[in-house]
Amino acid sequence: MGSLSKLPVSCSSSRSEAGTTALHKEVEGIVARFLGKEDCVCLNMGFNTNATTIPTLVGRGDLIISDELNHTSIVNGARSSGAAIRTFGHNDTSHLEDILREGIIMGQPRTRRPWRKILVIVEGIYSMEGEYCDLRNVVRVAKKYGAYVYLDEAHSIGAMGPTGRGCCEYTGVNPADVDVLMGTFTKSFGGMGGYIAGSKDLVNYLRRHSAGSAFHNSLSPVVCQQIITSFK
């Protein structure tokens, strides 16, 4: 609570203008190190982390393959991206492999050109069912066919694994094998907002092009301090 007397409640600006403080950079460094990723960008709303990141990563000519029980924020982000969308049965990696194989063989509708990229999207814990993702097999199948993996850890970060590092730690998957790690600060960390962790190239691209970073108000410095304290 002491931070309220020292820090502004809002920066009243986006991250790309006057909305980046030393606290934002500290949060991003802590999260990146915690997850074993090169870099991280934090955003001011968990729902919008998915809803603005997914359309930045994929578009027309791309294919999204999504677990049928994925959260509405993922569904909205996928639909607004302009990419083609296929769903696979919940945690059914055999069905996932069938869709990947068909997508690669058949290519895009009408033209049959290869997809520019294929993104497989899953959650660490499915919030309405409380079920864990079969991440080890999802990653195995995705890598077999050269697809990217996007893991939503909104409900699993801080809750799964011996040290709370989420679904990768719990299932024994190397974080390097998951291309995009998404999570929120609203559950285990008692704050608000979300993050995307990945390679430096990925995060720098999102900082410049994602609406959640370039145009939306940045995360409150008070909330940044709350997140930093929760990690300590």
Side-chain angles (χ1 to χ4, degrees):
M1 294 297 293
S3 63
L4 287 170
S5 63
K6 298 182 293 184
L7 299 171
V9 174
S10 173
C11 290
S12 301
S13 178
S14 69
R15 291 294 305 276
S16 60
E17 295 178 342
T20 296
T21 69
L23 290 173
H24 290 89
K25 294 179 179 179
E26 185 175 354
V27 168
E28 291 170 347
I30 289 172
V31 173
R33 290 190 296 273
F34 185 71
L35 297 175
K37 285 296 191 181
E38 291 181 357
D39 205 354
C40 168
V41 59
C42 60
L43 307 174
N44 76 346
M45 184 177 175
F47 191 103
N48 275 359
T49 301
N50 277 331
T52 62
T53 296
I54 293 171
T56 309
L57 296 176
V58 292
R60 292 178 62 87
D62 298 325
L63 174 64
I64 293 172
I65 306 179
S66 181
D67 188 290
E68 65 180 354
L69 296 185
N70 275 341
H71 190 266
T72 303
S73 59
I74 294 173
V75 174
N76 286 6
R79 287 176 175 173
S80 65
S81 71
I85 304 168
R86 296 287 306 276
T87 59
F88 64 96
H90 177 53
N91 263 344
D92 187 343
T93 52
S94 294
H95 190 202
L96 169 62
E97 184 164 11
D98 289 343
I99 293 173
L100 276 165
R101 187 185 298 114
E102 179 184 355
I104 291 169
I105 292 172
M106 299 301 294
Q108 298 182 45
R110 293 189 298 276
T111 66
R112 301 307 176 196
R113 292 175 180 169
W115 297 102
R116 296 190 310 166
K117 67 174 78 75
I118 300 176
L119 182 65
V120 177
I121 306 180
V122 293
E123 294 188 52
I125 294 178
Y126 293 85
S127 58
M128 299 305 294
E129 295 74 27
E131 296 182 359
Y132 294 170
C133 174
D134 184 10
L135 185 62
R136 182 182 290 274
N137 284 316
V138 168
V139 168
R140 175 185 59 80
V141 171
K143 297 305 176 186
K144 178 179 177 181
Y145 292 93
Y148 296 99
V149 178
Y150 183 115
L151 174 63
D152 177 335
E153 295 228 75
H155 298 89
S156 51
I157 190 66
M160 294 179 72
T163 64
R165 285 174 165 80
C167 195
C168 287
E169 184 178 52
Y170 181 82
T171 58
V173 171
N174 188 335
D177 291 330
V178 178
D179 304 284
V180 185
L181 282 173
M182 176 272 177
T184 64
F185 301 119
T186 54
K187 284 82 178 176
S188 297
F189 305 104
M192 64 175 285
Y195 66 82
I196 296 289
S199 68
K200 283 190 177 295
D201 287 343
L202 169 71
V203 172
N204 285 335
Y205 180 82
L206 291 174
R207 284 195 178 108
R208 295 193 306 271
H209 298 285
S210 170
S213 177
F215 305 117
H216 294 188
N217 201 30
S218 67
L219 192 62
S220 165
V222 175
V223 175
C224 288
Q225 184 60 64
Q226 159 63 27
I227 295 165
I228 292 166
T229 303
S230 70
F231 270 99
K232 293 178 178 178

